[in-house]
Structure formats: C-alpha cells, structure tokens
Amino acid sequence: MRHFGHISPTVRKDLFHQEPAEFSIASPAHILAAALGATLYSPATRPHLAADIRKQAGRGVVSMVLCLEDSISDSDVLGGEENLVRQFADLDTDPAGTAGLPLLFIRVRTPEQIPDLVRRLGGPVRHLAGFVLPKFTESRGTAFLDAVADAESASGLPRLYAMPVLETPDLLHLETRVDALAGISRTVNRYRERVLALRLGVTDFCSVYGLRRTPDMTAYDVQIVAGVIADVVNVLSRADGTGFTVTGPVWEYFRSQQRLFKPQLRRSPFLEEGVEELRTALIEHDLDGLLREIELDRANGLLGKTCIHPAHVTPVHALSVVSHEEFSDAQDILRPERGGGGVMRSVYTNKMNEVKPHRAWAERTMLRAEVFGVAKQEVGFVDLLTAGLQV
C-alpha cells in the first residue's frame, strides 16, 4: 500500500516531486509508525465491516481500528467478537490476499480477549496487524503486552504490534502524572520492538473534568489537555532514539453547527479560481478546526491522527505531505559534508538552517517524506486535498 495510492499514477506524477513509497505489514516498524496517517476507527459490530474496509482502502485509508471498547455498548461485546470472526473470514476470500487492505488493528477491552480472538480468527488472522490497548498504565500494560506476545507466538505470525492508548485520570492529575508517565515509559521500553505507536485519548482526558471542546477549538486550546500532551511528548517521544511515535487526538466533529467565532481557515490558499467552493465546504463541515489541529499536532511533536469519520482522512494525509521547501531544508541540513555543523541560508532564502540543532527535525522530515511524499514546488495543500477528494 502507499499514501495517495488511490489516485491515478498520472495525477501523482503531477503532484509529487518525490512520490510516497510503498509499504506493507512486513516493513520496518519505524516506517509503519510514521505511515499510520489518519487511523480510522470503526465499531466492530458493523454488519458489513469487510466491505467497509475495502471501500475505505479505495479512498486512501491505510490504517483502521476495529473497536470492541468505548464505541460499542457492554452488551454488544460478544456480538462484536463474533462479527469480527465473520468479517475477517470475508476478507480472506479476496484473491488479492492482504494486498490493498489497510493495516488492521483490534481495540480490545481486556488482555484475555487477545489470545482468544487470535485463536477464533484462525487463518484470516494474517490480515491483522495488531491490537490497540485501552486505558494503558504500568499496572495494566504488562498483562496486555504479554498477551499480544503470547498470541503472536501461538498464531505463527511474524509480528503482532501493540498501540497503547494513554487516557487514564492519573495522567491528567498533576500529583500522579510524573509517576504515571515514568511507569508507562518503563513498560513500553521493555516491549519496545512490539509497541508501534502511542495513542492519546483526549476525549477521556476531557471527561475527567467534564469538558468538551467545541468545533472552534483544538485540543491545544483546552489548557489542561495541552499540558498532558506536552508532558507525554516530553517523556515518551524524544528525538534522541529513545522516543516513540505519538499520534494526534481524535477530532470529534463532522456535522455543521452554529459558529461562535470567526472561521479560522485563512483565505489565501483558496484564491485560485474554482477552489473558494472547497474552502466554503470545509468550513461548513467544521473541518477548518481540524486543519488547525493537525498543524498544531505536528508542531507539538505528534504524527498521524485518530479519526472517527472518513471525511477526516484526506485532510490529515494532505497536510502530512512534506512541502518542497521543507524537503529542501532537510536535504541541506543532512548533507554529509555538513556533519561538523554550521549555519546556512535556506534555499528559499527565508530562514536560517543550523545543522546541529535542526538535524533531528530534518531526520523526522525525511522519514515523513518517505511515507507521505514530497509535493512539487508549485503544489500546495489545496491541490493535494482536491486530488484526494475527487476519487
């Protein structure tokens, strides 16, 4: 699979200076973690789940979570498990095999569900990339991660990954946050080769204080949440080789509501003929707040995003593409002859590139360029978004 693989090669050639690379479940973990992109959640109870998965893959989705936890009621868990067994068997009838399917993860409630589900899935378990582990703490995490390791061994699969979700009150409460983060760090580091990425449960964070952000506000406007995100990145996503990929929080809105504030989506990228309508449509669907939050995610060290509606996928991916300017800066910083450091004016003559301080940023940018591609110099977000939405 590849990002923007759902659009024609001709269109990709027009859009990209460097096209997104292909990847698969067998790719190195650091590639898969960067390539998760917009991870689309779906309740495991959907009756036509296999068809939904194929449909979303055809629209550019490369990772999905099939949820047995908060998205379904307690009384539907057993039915959801049975449905997953049926739907994975349906996926297994595709002559293309795993080719073209997104990376599929199951979000469970308890560690005991993991080996049980792997056993019940049988042969079609080969379509499974791993499990999402809810309400992850040091005390709960070891049992979850051991269960994933045991299920992998029993299934004969080369790898089952885990994505812990950080969402418990002890992370939010100031008096317990440091110990909670230290405990999570100890746990995930013991299972480093298995932990693909860490996910943030911002909705659960907000619930601890009875909060809910409006469509006009990002997670970073809710200061108590922004503080937790900053501390998670501080402890668990350092650029010194010890960090993990941390993904962006869910954007909850997908219907138009009455606005309290002026729309945040600036006009300048939309001044070309024919694209003002796209700007209007994005504002009407409350996606301008989403776009701002995606930008703030990356500025704060997060990569990828949890999504609960297909309409959010293409904007996340379009904003994940590396611009030609970013790529040029990263290339300059990483040139072998500049290994000793120094400073230079950027190719675009609008900023300073300092080799040693900017090296970690450049390395992360080049990894993102590999999986999301590099836009041509004249290609911007609107072009990428429009191409993705027209399929």
Side-chain angles (χ1 to χ4, degrees), residues 106-328:
I106 297 175
R107 182 175 179 175
V108 292
R109 295 187 173 208
T110 66
E112 293 75 22
Q113 284 179 294
I114 293 171
D116 181 58
L117 279 168
V118 167
R119 176 186 58 79
R120 290 162 65 186
L121 288 173
V125 76
R126 67 193 180 98
H127 301 294
L128 184 65
F131 291 89
V132 174
L133 313 178
K135 299 172 177 59
F136 192 90
T137 63
E138 182 178 25
S139 59
R140 285 168 54 89
T142 298
F144 270 119
L145 290 166
D146 281 342
V148 176
D150 292 344
E152 176 190 288
S153 178
S155 69
L157 291 171
R159 176 64 68 201
L160 279 174
Y161 287 108
M163 291 200 290
V165 185
L166 311 185
E167 55 187 343
T168 51
D170 58 348
L171 282 173
L172 200 64
H173 296 154
L174 189 61
E175 68 272 19
T176 54
R177 185 180 305 167
V178 172
D179 287 342
L181 282 171
I184 290 169
S185 179
R186 286 191 293 267
T187 305
V188 294
N189 272 294
R190 287 199 302 270
Y191 299 83
R192 174 168 289 275
E193 76 288 346
R194 189 166 306 284
V195 176
L196 187 61
L198 305 175
R199 312 199 72 88
L200 291 168
V202 164
T203 301
D204 284 62
F205 287 156
C206 289
S207 73
V208 175
Y209 288 91
L211 306 175
R212 186 174 191 179
R213 67 189 190 274
T214 70
D216 301 286
M217 294 183 179
T218 71
Y220 303 93
D221 294 313
V222 183
Q223 291 299 300
I224 197 166
V225 171
V228 180
I229 294 174
D231 288 343
V232 168
V233 172
N234 188 324
V235 175
L236 295 167
S237 192
R238 297 174 185 176
D240 58 1
T242 67
F244 295 83
T245 294
V246 179
T247 64
V250 68
W251 181 258
E252 298 179 351
Y253 293 95
F254 49 90
R255 291 198 182 109
S256 181
Q257 297 189 16
Q258 184 177 359
R259 283 193 171 274
L260 298 178
F261 305 117
K262 182 179 178 180
Q264 302 164 27
L265 193 58
R266 62 191 181 93
R267 293 178 59 90
S268 56
F270 297 86
L271 294 181
E272 297 178 21
E273 184 178 355
V275 294
E276 177 65 23
E277 293 83 358
L278 177 58
R279 176 184 183 272
T280 301
L282 290 171
I283 291 173
E284 287 176 351
H285 288 84
D286 285 318
L287 293 185
D288 55 320
L290 168 64
L291 300 185
R292 181 166 174 261
E293 186 166 284
I294 296 166
E295 292 280 19
L296 289 170
D297 285 342
R298 190 158 71 247
N300 285 277
L302 310 184
L303 182 61
K305 199 162 188 67
T306 294
C307 294
I308 46 84
H309 195 279
H312 300 166
V313 172
T314 301
V316 172
H317 291 169
L319 279 175
S320 298
V321 173
V322 173
S323 70
H324 188 270
E325 181 174 347
E326 290 176 304
F327 184 68
S328 299

Side-chain angles (χ1 to χ4, degrees), residues 5-125:
H6 65 301
I7 66 178
S8 74
T10 301
V11 174
R12 282 204 308 272
K13 186 176 179 180
D14 289 339
L15 292 172
F16 289 98
H17 169 77
Q18 174 184 300
E19 290 194 27
E22 292 186 347
F23 59 92
S24 72
I25 186 60
S27 297
H30 73 283
I31 295 292
L32 294 181
L36 287 168
T39 300
L40 183 63
Y41 275 54
S42 175
T45 51
R46 289 180 67 89
H48 304 292
L49 188 57
D52 293 340
I53 290 169
R54 293 188 182 102
K55 177 181 178 180
Q56 296 308 326
R59 294 180 173 181
V61 173
V62 303
S63 63
M64 289 186 69
V65 173
L66 315 176
C67 185
L68 289 165
E69 208 227 359
D70 285 347
S71 69
I72 66 174
S73 71
D74 297 346
S75 60
D76 287 336
V77 174
L78 292 178
E81 293 176 348
E82 293 169 356
N83 189 54
L84 283 178
V85 174
R86 288 192 299 270
Q87 301 300 328
F88 270 75
D90 187 330
L91 290 175
D92 209 46
T93 63
D94 195 321
T98 58
L101 290 179
L103 298 170
L104 297 177
F105 301 85
I106 297 175
R107 182 175 179 175
V108 292
R109 295 187 173 208
T110 66
E112 293 75 22
Q113 284 179 294
I114 293 171
D116 181 58
L117 279 168
V118 167
R119 176 186 58 79
R120 290 162 65 186
L121 288 173
V125 76

